[in-house]
Amino acid sequence: MSAVGIVAAAGSGLRLGADRPKALVPLGGRPLVAWAVATLLDGGVDEVVVAVPAADHDAFAAVLPDGVRLVEGGATRTASVRAALAAVPAEAAAVLVHDAARPLTPPAVVARVLDALRAGAPAVVPVLPVVDTTVAVDAGGTVTAAPDRATLRRVQTPQGFARRVLVEAYGALPDGVELTDDAAVVRAACVPVGTVAGDERAAKVTVAHDLALAELQVAGVPGPS
Ligand code: CTP
Ligand code: MG
C-alpha cells in the first residue's frame, strides 16, 4: 500500500511566541518540522508533502531532506491540509496527516496507523485515555455536565485515511468551514473513524512549557519514578 504523509507546518506559532514560525523552532538542535518528517518516513510512509508559510519556503527547504515536496499553506490548518492534499499523487492509496507541532511522535505510532489502513479502515486516529475527570461548563464557568471519562479519548496525529476518502471529504467541506483535525472532516462526511493507541511522546508543542518538556525528552532526562 503506497502512503503519502502530509505535514501541516504553515502555522505561525503565536502561543509559543518564538522569533520564527513554530515548525522551524529547534528542538535538540533540529527544527520541529524535520522531526515530524523523519517520524513519518521512519514509520513507513513513502513520501512527504509539507505545507509551509508562503514567506518561509526557502528556510523550510533548507532544513528538509531532498525529495520532500513543499506547498504553500493557507491561513488556517484546514486550508493548509487542503493545499497539501491537492499535491498528493493520485496513485497513493493512503494519506497520513501529521502536525509539525508533534515532533517526538514515535515511528511506531505511524506504523500502527498504516497497519489499520492496510487492514481496511477508511480512517484511523491515534488516541490516549483521559485520566482527569473532564467537564463541560457554561459561559459563566459553571459545570453543566461531566461525561463518563471512560468513553473519552485525546486525539493525536498522524491521522490516516484512504486517500480517496479524505479527498472526497475535503471536497464536500464548504470553503470557510474550519475544523481542528482531519478526522472531523471525514466524520462530517459520515465516514467511521477508527482508533489505534497513541503515545504520550506524541504530545503537541503549543506553549513554551511544552517545548521545555520536549527538550528534556530529547536529552533523555528520566521522568519521575
Ligand atoms: N498549521 C498549518 N497552517 C495553519 C495553521 C496551523 O499548517 N494556517 C499547522 C501548524 O503548523 C501546526 C499544526 O497545524 O503544526 C497544529 O496547529 P497549532 O499547534 O495551533 O500551531 P500554530 O497554529 O502554528 O500555533 P498557534 O495556534 O499558537 O498560532
Ligand atoms: Mg493554531
Side-chain angles (χ1 to χ4, degrees):
M1 183 190 66
S2 59
V4 172
I6 285 175
V7 176
S12 51
L14 286 178
R15 288 169 289 178
L16 187 62
D19 61 353
R20 64 194 82 181
K22 182 163 72 178
L24 288 176
V25 168
L27 165 63
R30 184 192 203 196
L32 300 190
V33 67
W35 286 95
V37 167
T39 285
L40 286 171
L41 292 170
D42 290 350
V45 310
D46 301 296
E47 54 183 292
V48 180
V49 179
V50 184
V52 305
D56 299 290
H57 177 281
D58 293 354
F60 277 78
V63 300
L64 291 173
D66 289 346
V68 171
R69 291 171 71 172
L70 270 56
V71 300
E72 192 174 310
T76 63
R77 186 185 184 284
T78 301
S80 294
V81 174
R82 205 190 274 280
L85 192 55
V88 171
E91 298 76 49
V95 177
L96 270 64
V97 187
H98 192 33
D99 287 333
R102 297 183 184 273
L104 300 183
T105 305
V109 178
V110 178
R112 286 198 283 276
V113 170
L114 285 171
D115 283 347
L117 294 173
R118 258 186 226 110
V124 61
V125 295
V127 297
L128 289 174
V130 172
V131 293
D132 293 315
T133 296
T134 302
V135 298
V137 295
D138 64 17
T142 299
V143 172
T144 55
D148 176 8
R149 75 177 176 210
T151 68
L152 300 176
R153 299 290 182 274
R154 292 178 286 146
V155 179
Q156 302 183 314
T157 72
Q159 301 184 353
F161 307 91
R163 187 192 64 82
R164 200 169 304 172
V165 165
L166 191 60
V167 167
E168 281 174 13
Y170 265 90
L173 189 73
D175 276 342
V177 174
E178 308 302 338
L179 299 171
T180 56
D181 73 353
D182 309 287
V185 176
V186 302
R187 286 193 66 243
C190 300
V191 174
V193 178
T195 60
V196 294
D199 192 296
E200 293 292 353
R201 290 167 289 182
K204 188 154 80 75
V205 173
T206 304
V207 296
H209 172 79
D210 304 325
L211 189 61
L213 284 180
E215 289 285 7
L216 290 177
Q217 258 174 264
V218 170
V221 175
S225 54

